[in-house]
């Protein structure tokens, strides 16, 4: 199958590319790949474990190997040998120039950008170019995954985002202040009947206009925001307190990280959209809103070793207060990368089975799953397994 | 309803008694009570929230208030006012003299014991006395809950424990070396059609002889070993690693506590049965046995503030190793007490609905649930809810 | 001896009052009191363990018992019996109406204030009243301790704060925008030859004008900001990395608390002065500035149970990176209260020994000790002991 | 200078060898080396940073590079490039066959041993061979460091260990049951006027007989048991509670590790000597013995990533109990290796300055420093600096 990454030279994408090729070559096992669990037997027929990769990117780098090596040098997030084993394959992956329109000041931290806007293109011209790039790569077995840096909150407009007609009017009239990179990419994918998975909290395909497009084109999509670290643990643990009728008095979530994502997030406007996507899960699990703190701070020496400190203050029988602490010490790209492959596989499976629109049963993979209030990791897994079994 | 506690003067039982009366009087809310969740609406009809308490005990104390006060003075585990509010009710609860037969050297730590064996009674005489005590208290709405200290591993005998006939032969012939307090109590309860819940890891009703008796008498029972602290968290979290296809390289569970339970557990022979009941859950969840350490140590100043330190070493995509730590800082009696009431309520509900034998759908409450391999807290909760809804 | 507290009805002051009286009556031991260590034998002669308490306050409450009870009801920070044992003594302590001039919006969170400014008094009139109150209480054995809420950063003016003449001109000319409660209190104390200890990060006696006054009046003073929790641990641990030539790559300090202090700190302008006082210690210990995060957030259910989460990322031999985590789970008032008594005792000792100006050897008690760069807890303790021994 | 390692192919020794050569070549900086701190300026003249390495070993390996590579493959404890940079230097280091006499069953875990005992040598013959090996390497600037696996507690005999005469009688008469590898090695070193540093808890030079020998031969020695991890933190933090007059109610120290040291320690008899060396520090710091737990368990997947979990329960003012937790997540060899070089350098400095016998001012480096009760890390550092300055 083919995966087209938005943010192709990022650490998540390059790790997925390397890992995907290593699995294809039998050099590593499938640890970390949800879609390879026995519960999903049969998926290979629809989305086999061999891969072609491409994508859009705004950073300058010669090819995916060069980008991967840069990430590796900062992170040592896997064995160096593995990178060398797939060096030639990664060297052949050259991303197309993308757009960073309204991606905020954070993305500037990535260095000098190589973007379509630099050529003063109109929205219509940008879309046309993105489409041309994607079509030159895509076949019937292609999925687009957005793993680019988090954008600031979309400057939402009912007129331009509320319907497909409005959206296309926005493009036609070059209304740049209401556009953003992620919605343009999603538009291009869905318009071309290519499933789209939004691994970031950016708007992507979540606006009404694009949901309408997905239905019209009968193409599946899923998102938003890969559930990789602290939120994964939170949505696994939080139900325990509910099951036992324990009252959560407060939940502190403090995340530190030092990679480009951290740098982007440390810029206020981009941070906002990340924090918001994390706050709602407790409310959905408990039915009430416990006091909560969710913070993400930049801590350079950790690079991609995203570390979370959570503290839960809870009340039990007879009013007695008790405490729970956890520390999550993981490499974000290592947790994230296999999920991008999983999302691509399940979306391709959905497409081949004739399913379309938001695949809400894929909520297991996301912090802010679209069109569902189920954020309980366990229920999400059960839902994913049942959906798969019903459709296989 | 009526609850007969084995170990009536222990901290779990006295906390349940105080809390039960406080709820009955509307002085505290039902936080901590699983059976009061909206999912179990309708249970009040079968097991209303008003209580009479009695029980067997081997420690000397004038009444449940005196015993509760002793625990309170060491633990301050709830507001003193609460204890005073139900003082007169607790003062009226006077436990009957119980048995500590083959309860190991640990139970000696409780001080001078006031037990039936002191009178050199035979097993038959002990059973007769226990039965007399219980019958003088019990009505149709009575449940027996064993919350006594952990016994050493039962000296299992196929002859005496493998069938009801053998069991009764053991009693008749006074074969003391194969008896233990918990199996005698369970025998007496089930024989009299009183549901029996085993909140401890002791053998209780789990031997074939007593399972046979429960079927014969058409009485429900459940156990073993209340899932109150570290194992609760472990069985909630462990599935997360499985769902994400992450490989657990090692799981360390280190528990410290300073109460009588800790004292009893610190005596080797009793410790053994506790450690064994904790080891199996990871294997059941993963299908493989990760390296694991489970230790329980006595730490006097914590008294009943059982504290657990867990460390999980796991492997993700491309072989990269990552870490997770948690600290559970809770008051064991506060977590345990409401569960004893829950177990009693669900067993009474089962009895009234004509259900009998092991109620394996009540596994949610236990570390070592009988007759099921489901130890996943989430699945157990779903199972409990579905069972309740099917039978209500 | 007599202690006059600024912020007399706060949790720190009322806890110190209760504890002080309990020690005087022999009802509790001296755990927590540094000045009662064997190293300080002989101090009793100069600052015996019997106490009269008074103070200024801006909150409304009938007396110190009422205020203490309010704190107790929210915090249960010690045994209720202890409070009742000294009830009559605390009921006799009635604070005088104080000032909250330029104390920021945070202090408004304390509710309706009963302050001298309400009567539209000039600075001179305020000072006159404060002086009148203090003189009606003070004898030769009196010390003033500021344990009021943190003020915003002083609007520093070289003209008005740089010299005593300028300071008195500010008062005379009623230049309110450059005044703040803590500097007025400190002025009144020092002017009357009463030692002044600044337990808060507010300016207090740290401005040149007041240092000049202390020298002129030959009165000792000390500050700033009681070293009670996370900074105590940090300044104890940080030297270890220096001694072992380990390089600190980053140090995260995340504090949560839910008391009035937390409420005040959560107001930006007040927060600023707290955060600044914490940042400098690492630089002083290491000689370089490791990347660091220091945050204080409001977490209501913890009330005064200030909890700190620290993470230290460090580099060792051959460049290898390692990690250290700690959690400090303590009751702030319990750690702070005895230190206010210690500071009062050592200041009184200093006065009686003819020492005056900043007592920099008392840096052990402060986060931002005046006139010294020694922030290493160990060296500070050694320095305090040596200073005491030289002067006894 | 020259360092002769007992346990030359162990992870500590090979890491020290690699790091030493890298420093000599200017490829890494001196992070982790205490002796390179500015406080010890001038030591270079006596113990310059260039090294020749040799040693005794009981494991089979072709040379130090091969051994180092094995450790690296299991631990990845530093950058692979570093190992390659000094490959040829390490390949030239070939350890001599050592002795494992009375080293317990744990050492068998190292695999088939290549030891002098295999040839049925007498003690005298073993000593003669060890001496021959050492003398063929040593010059005037040589130090012996014992970094071999922990031995079981020495079967102490006043007759054979209490005096030098007795010791030599033991050798002469081949009284093997009272010998152990570490005391034979120490004997050989001291007898030849080569300073001896005991980085392990094994007896080494700590018996009266060998202290006598060191005095007689005027040679310095130091030990025991390198203070590398949890004990380092403990002895840094514990004084804080003492300084603040806080009462420690209990201190839990739980260590997990998965290297050969862990394997050896998991064998009961060897474990005993390690646990004992850790228990005494709290008593020395507090003057009383708080309840304490010190455990070391084998956790294979961590290999040399020794991780410690400590919990301190303490009591403050007015009897209130509070809590402190820490997690130390470090690579033992990385923390230990530079200390072996430091010890060698300071011992050589001592020798050149004419100092001999136990250098008790080097207690900073040890868990169980000989001939001193100072275990406070801060005081030890101050003592080391002062000793150095007095003698330079």
């Amino acid at each position: 199958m083919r995966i087209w990454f938005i943010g192709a030279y990022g650490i998540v994408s390059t790790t997925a590319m390397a890992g995907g090729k290593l699995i294809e070559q039998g050099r590593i096992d499938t640890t970390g790949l949800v879609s390879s669990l026995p519960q999903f037997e049969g998926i290979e027929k629809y989305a086999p474990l061999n891969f072609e990769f491409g994508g859009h990117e705004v950073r300058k780098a010669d090819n995916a190997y060069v980008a991967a090596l840069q990430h590796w040098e900062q992170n040592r997030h896997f064995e160096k040998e593995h990178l060398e084993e797939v060096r030639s394959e990664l060297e052949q992956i050259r991303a197309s120039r993308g757009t960073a329109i309204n991606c905020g000041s954070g993305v500037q931290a990535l260095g000098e950008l190589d973007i379509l806007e630099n050529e003063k293109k109109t929205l219509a011209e940008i879309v046309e170019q993105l489409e041309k790039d994607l079509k030159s790569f895509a076949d019937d077995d292609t999925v687009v995954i957005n793993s680019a840096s988090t954008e600031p909150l979309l400057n939402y407009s009912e007129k331009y985002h509320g319907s497909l007609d409005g959206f296309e009017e926005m493009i036609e009239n070059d209304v740049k202040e209401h556009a953003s990179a992620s919605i343009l990419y999603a538009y291009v994918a869905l318009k071309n009947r290519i499933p789209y998975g939004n691994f970031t909290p950016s708007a992507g395909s979540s606006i009404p206009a694009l949901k309408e497009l997905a239905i019209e084109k009968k193409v599946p999509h899923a998102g938003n925001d890969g559930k990789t670290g602290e939120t994964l643990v939170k949505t696994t643990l939080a139900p325990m307190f509910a099951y036992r009728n324990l009252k959560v008095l407060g939940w502190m979530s403090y995340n530190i990280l030092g990679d480009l994502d951290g740098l982007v997030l440390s810029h206020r406007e981009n941070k906002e959209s990340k924090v918001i996507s994390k706050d709602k899960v407790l409310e959905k699990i408990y039915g009430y809103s416990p006091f909560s703190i969710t913070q993400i701070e930049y801590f350079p020496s950790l690079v991609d070793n995203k570390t979370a400190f959570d503290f839960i203050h809870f009340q039990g029988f007879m009013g007695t207060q008790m405490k729970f602490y956890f520390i999550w010490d993981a490499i974000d790209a290592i947790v994230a990368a296999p999920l991008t492959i999983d999302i691509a596989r399940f979306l391709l499976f959905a497409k081949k089975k004739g399913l379309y629109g938001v695949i809400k049963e894929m909520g297991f993979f996301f912090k802010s799953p679209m069109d569902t209030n189920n954020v309980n990791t366990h229920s999400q897994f059960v839902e994913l397994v049942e959906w798969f079994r019903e459709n296989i």
Side-chain angles (χ1 to χ4, degrees), chain A residues 323-341:
Chain A
K323 294 168 178 176
F324 186 82
Y325 309 81
F326 75 76
I327 298 170
W328 168 261
D329 171 19
I331 310 300
D332 205 47
I334 291 299
V335 190
L339 300 188
T340 62
I341 296 178

PDB file of all heavy atoms in Angstrom, chain A residues 323-341:
ATOM      1  N   LYS A 323      -4.504   9.471  46.714  1.00  0.00           N
ATOM      2  CA  LYS A 323      -3.661  10.027  45.657  1.00  0.00           C
ATOM      3  C   LYS A 323      -3.114   8.967  44.715  1.00  0.00           C
ATOM      4  O   LYS A 323      -2.842   7.843  45.128  1.00  0.00           O
ATOM      5  CB  LYS A 323      -2.477  10.766  46.302  1.00  0.00           C
ATOM      6  CG  LYS A 323      -2.899  11.987  47.092  1.00  0.00           C
ATOM      7  CD  LYS A 323      -1.770  12.534  47.948  1.00  0.00           C
ATOM      8  CE  LYS A 323      -2.224  13.777  48.680  1.00  0.00           C
ATOM      9  NZ  LYS A 323      -1.197  14.288  49.601  1.00  0.00           N
ATOM     10  N   PHE A 324      -2.927   9.379  43.496  1.00  0.00           N
ATOM     11  CA  PHE A 324      -2.321   8.494  42.506  1.00  0.00           C
ATOM     12  C   PHE A 324      -1.392   9.336  41.633  1.00  0.00           C
ATOM     13  O   PHE A 324      -1.744  10.446  41.240  1.00  0.00           O
ATOM     14  CB  PHE A 324      -3.415   7.836  41.651  1.00  0.00           C
ATOM     15  CG  PHE A 324      -2.889   6.811  40.700  1.00  0.00           C
ATOM     16  CD1 PHE A 324      -2.627   5.527  41.125  1.00  0.00           C
ATOM     17  CD2 PHE A 324      -2.640   7.124  39.369  1.00  0.00           C
ATOM     18  CE1 PHE A 324      -2.132   4.567  40.254  1.00  0.00           C
ATOM     19  CE2 PHE A 324      -2.143   6.182  38.491  1.00  0.00           C
ATOM     20  CZ  PHE A 324      -1.899   4.892  38.940  1.00  0.00           C
ATOM     21  N   TYR A 325      -0.228   8.790  41.344  1.00  0.00           N
ATOM     22  CA  TYR A 325       0.758   9.491  40.531  1.00  0.00           C
ATOM     23  C   TYR A 325       1.203   8.563  39.407  1.00  0.00           C
ATOM     24  O   TYR A 325       1.374   7.367  39.645  1.00  0.00           O
ATOM     25  CB  TYR A 325       2.031   9.787  41.340  1.00  0.00           C
ATOM     26  CG  TYR A 325       1.858  10.443  42.668  1.00  0.00           C
ATOM     27  CD1 TYR A 325       1.518   9.723  43.804  1.00  0.00           C
ATOM     28  CD2 TYR A 325       2.075  11.817  42.811  1.00  0.00           C
ATOM     29  CE1 TYR A 325       1.386  10.337  45.042  1.00  0.00           C
ATOM     30  CE2 TYR A 325       1.952  12.440  44.053  1.00  0.00           C
ATOM     31  CZ  TYR A 325       1.605  11.690  45.167  1.00  0.00           C
ATOM     32  OH  TYR A 325       1.482  12.299  46.394  1.00  0.00           O
ATOM     33  N   PHE A 326       1.445   9.114  38.225  1.00  0.00           N
ATOM     34  CA  PHE A 326       2.157   8.283  37.256  1.00  0.00           C
ATOM     35  C   PHE A 326       3.142   9.100  36.434  1.00  0.00           C
ATOM     36  O   PHE A 326       3.015  10.322  36.316  1.00  0.00           O
ATOM     37  CB  PHE A 326       1.221   7.452  36.375  1.00  0.00           C
ATOM     38  CG  PHE A 326       0.471   8.165  35.285  1.00  0.00           C
ATOM     39  CD1 PHE A 326       1.098   8.562  34.113  1.00  0.00           C
ATOM     40  CD2 PHE A 326      -0.885   8.397  35.418  1.00  0.00           C
ATOM     41  CE1 PHE A 326       0.377   9.189  33.091  1.00  0.00           C
ATOM     42  CE2 PHE A 326      -1.612   9.036  34.405  1.00  0.00           C
ATOM     43  CZ  PHE A 326      -0.978   9.423  33.242  1.00  0.00           C
ATOM     44  N   ILE A 327       4.143   8.407  35.954  1.00  0.00           N
ATOM     45  CA  ILE A 327       5.153   9.008  35.088  1.00  0.00           C
ATOM     46  C   ILE A 327       5.242   8.162  33.827  1.00  0.00           C
ATOM     47  O   ILE A 327       5.434   6.951  33.909  1.00  0.00           O
ATOM     48  CB  ILE A 327       6.536   9.058  35.780  1.00  0.00           C
ATOM     49  CG1 ILE A 327       6.484   9.915  37.034  1.00  0.00           C
ATOM     50  CG2 ILE A 327       7.596   9.585  34.805  1.00  0.00           C
ATOM     51  CD1 ILE A 327       7.740   9.819  37.900  1.00  0.00           C
ATOM     52  N   TRP A 328       5.067   8.818  32.730  1.00  0.00           N
ATOM     53  CA  TRP A 328       5.157   8.161  31.414  1.00  0.00           C
ATOM     54  C   TRP A 328       6.440   8.664  30.771  1.00  0.00           C
ATOM     55  O   TRP A 328       6.595   9.867  30.548  1.00  0.00           O
ATOM     56  CB  TRP A 328       3.929   8.562  30.595  1.00  0.00           C
ATOM     57  CG  TRP A 328       3.937   8.247  29.131  1.00  0.00           C
ATOM     58  CD1 TRP A 328       4.229   9.114  28.111  1.00  0.00           C
ATOM     59  CD2 TRP A 328       3.567   7.004  28.503  1.00  0.00           C
ATOM     60  NE1 TRP A 328       4.067   8.476  26.887  1.00  0.00           N
ATOM     61  CE2 TRP A 328       3.664   7.191  27.099  1.00  0.00           C
ATOM     62  CE3 TRP A 328       3.178   5.758  28.978  1.00  0.00           C
ATOM     63  CZ2 TRP A 328       3.374   6.170  26.198  1.00  0.00           C
ATOM     64  CZ3 TRP A 328       2.899   4.740  28.071  1.00  0.00           C
ATOM     65  CH2 TRP A 328       2.997   4.945  26.701  1.00  0.00           C
ATOM     66  N   ASP A 329       7.364   7.752  30.500  1.00  0.00           N
ATOM     67  CA  ASP A 329       8.688   8.127  29.996  1.00  0.00           C
ATOM     68  C   ASP A 329       8.900   7.386  28.684  1.00  0.00           C
ATOM     69  O   ASP A 329       9.416   6.267  28.674  1.00  0.00           O
ATOM     70  CB  ASP A 329       9.721   7.719  31.066  1.00  0.00           C
ATOM     71  CG  ASP A 329      11.156   7.849  30.581  1.00  0.00           C
ATOM     72  OD1 ASP A 329      11.390   8.557  29.596  1.00  0.00           O
ATOM     73  OD2 ASP A 329      12.044   7.222  31.202  1.00  0.00           O
ATOM     74  N   ALA A 330       8.451   8.002  27.601  1.00  0.00           N
ATOM     75  CA  ALA A 330       8.456   7.284  26.324  1.00  0.00           C
ATOM     76  C   ALA A 330       8.951   8.172  25.191  1.00  0.00           C
ATOM     77  O   ALA A 330       9.029   9.383  25.312  1.00  0.00           O
ATOM     78  CB  ALA A 330       7.056   6.780  26.017  1.00  0.00           C
ATOM     79  N   ILE A 331       9.302   7.515  24.110  1.00  0.00           N
ATOM     80  CA  ILE A 331       9.755   8.232  22.923  1.00  0.00           C
ATOM     81  C   ILE A 331       8.530   8.443  22.045  1.00  0.00           C
ATOM     82  O   ILE A 331       7.969   7.480  21.512  1.00  0.00           O
ATOM     83  CB  ILE A 331      10.812   7.401  22.170  1.00  0.00           C
ATOM     84  CG1 ILE A 331      11.902   6.912  23.117  1.00  0.00           C
ATOM     85  CG2 ILE A 331      11.384   8.221  21.008  1.00  0.00           C
ATOM     86  CD1 ILE A 331      12.653   7.993  23.828  1.00  0.00           C
ATOM     87  N   ASP A 332       8.154   9.677  21.872  1.00  0.00           N
ATOM     88  CA  ASP A 332       6.897   9.948  21.204  1.00  0.00           C
ATOM     89  C   ASP A 332       6.832   9.355  19.797  1.00  0.00           C
ATOM     90  O   ASP A 332       5.829   8.745  19.420  1.00  0.00           O
ATOM     91  CB  ASP A 332       6.651  11.456  21.154  1.00  0.00           C
ATOM     92  CG  ASP A 332       5.171  11.745  21.043  1.00  0.00           C
ATOM     93  OD1 ASP A 332       4.402  11.130  21.815  1.00  0.00           O
ATOM     94  OD2 ASP A 332       4.771  12.559  20.201  1.00  0.00           O
ATOM     95  N   ALA A 333       7.882   9.517  19.027  1.00  0.00           N
ATOM     96  CA  ALA A 333       7.850   9.041  17.643  1.00  0.00           C
ATOM     97  C   ALA A 333       7.686   7.524  17.582  1.00  0.00           C
ATOM     98  O   ALA A 333       7.073   6.988  16.661  1.00  0.00           O
ATOM     99  CB  ALA A 333       9.128   9.450  16.912  1.00  0.00           C
ATOM    100  N   ILE A 334       8.252   6.843  18.581  1.00  0.00           N
ATOM    101  CA  ILE A 334       8.173   5.383  18.607  1.00  0.00           C
ATOM    102  C   ILE A 334       6.754   4.919  18.910  1.00  0.00           C
ATOM    103  O   ILE A 334       6.293   3.894  18.400  1.00  0.00           O
ATOM    104  CB  ILE A 334       9.189   4.841  19.642  1.00  0.00           C
ATOM    105  CG1 ILE A 334      10.621   5.061  19.146  1.00  0.00           C
ATOM    106  CG2 ILE A 334       8.943   3.375  19.973  1.00  0.00           C
ATOM    107  CD1 ILE A 334      10.940   4.364  17.843  1.00  0.00           C
ATOM    108  N   VAL A 335       6.066   5.672  19.736  1.00  0.00           N
ATOM    109  CA  VAL A 335       4.677   5.329  20.035  1.00  0.00           C
ATOM    110  C   VAL A 335       3.772   5.758  18.884  1.00  0.00           C
ATOM    111  O   VAL A 335       2.802   5.078  18.553  1.00  0.00           O
ATOM    112  CB  VAL A 335       4.219   6.002  21.355  1.00  0.00           C
ATOM    113  CG1 VAL A 335       2.873   5.460  21.775  1.00  0.00           C
ATOM    114  CG2 VAL A 335       5.238   5.790  22.460  1.00  0.00           C
ATOM    115  N   ALA A 336       4.118   6.878  18.261  1.00  0.00           N
ATOM    116  CA  ALA A 336       3.249   7.442  17.230  1.00  0.00           C
ATOM    117  C   ALA A 336       3.376   6.745  15.880  1.00  0.00           C
ATOM    118  O   ALA A 336       2.371   6.490  15.202  1.00  0.00           O
ATOM    119  CB  ALA A 336       3.557   8.934  17.067  1.00  0.00           C
ATOM    120  N   ALA A 337       4.603   6.468  15.478  1.00  0.00           N
ATOM    121  CA  ALA A 337       4.836   6.017  14.104  1.00  0.00           C
ATOM    122  C   ALA A 337       3.996   4.796  13.709  1.00  0.00           C
ATOM    123  O   ALA A 337       3.355   4.798  12.653  1.00  0.00           O
ATOM    124  CB  ALA A 337       6.320   5.751  13.886  1.00  0.00           C
ATOM    125  N   PRO A 338       3.966   3.739  14.550  1.00  0.00           N
ATOM    126  CA  PRO A 338       3.184   2.580  14.107  1.00  0.00           C
ATOM    127  C   PRO A 338       1.690   2.908  13.986  1.00  0.00           C
ATOM    128  O   PRO A 338       1.001   2.314  13.156  1.00  0.00           O
ATOM    129  CB  PRO A 338       3.435   1.535  15.198  1.00  0.00           C
ATOM    130  CG  PRO A 338       3.904   2.317  16.389  1.00  0.00           C
ATOM    131  CD  PRO A 338       4.628   3.499  15.836  1.00  0.00           C
ATOM    132  N   LEU A 339       1.217   3.868  14.783  1.00  0.00           N
ATOM    133  CA  LEU A 339      -0.199   4.214  14.685  1.00  0.00           C
ATOM    134  C   LEU A 339      -0.538   4.847  13.343  1.00  0.00           C
ATOM    135  O   LEU A 339      -1.635   4.665  12.823  1.00  0.00           O
ATOM    136  CB  LEU A 339      -0.595   5.178  15.807  1.00  0.00           C
ATOM    137  CG  LEU A 339      -0.413   4.678  17.243  1.00  0.00           C
ATOM    138  CD1 LEU A 339      -1.026   5.674  18.213  1.00  0.00           C
ATOM    139  CD2 LEU A 339      -1.020   3.299  17.452  1.00  0.00           C
ATOM    140  N   THR A 340       0.414   5.586  12.783  1.00  0.00           N
ATOM    141  CA  THR A 340       0.113   6.181  11.467  1.00  0.00           C
ATOM    142  C   THR A 340      -0.055   5.072  10.431  1.00  0.00           C
ATOM    143  O   THR A 340      -0.911   5.164   9.546  1.00  0.00           O
ATOM    144  CB  THR A 340       1.225   7.157  11.013  1.00  0.00           C
ATOM    145  OG1 THR A 340       2.450   6.445  10.864  1.00  0.00           O
ATOM    146  CG2 THR A 340       1.407   8.287  12.014  1.00  0.00           C
ATOM    147  N   ILE A 341       0.743   4.023  10.579  1.00  0.00           N
ATOM    148  CA  ILE A 341       0.592   2.881   9.662  1.00  0.00           C
ATOM    149  C   ILE A 341      -0.738   2.174   9.923  1.00  0.00           C
ATOM    150  O   ILE A 341      -1.461   1.791   9.004  1.00  0.00           O
ATOM    151  CB  ILE A 341       1.786   1.916   9.816  1.00  0.00           C
ATOM    152  CG1 ILE A 341       3.076   2.631   9.383  1.00  0.00           C
ATOM    153  CG2 ILE A 341       1.554   0.635   9.008  1.00  0.00           C
ATOM    154  CD1 ILE A 341       4.335   1.790   9.544  1.00  0.00           C
TER     155      ILE A 341
END
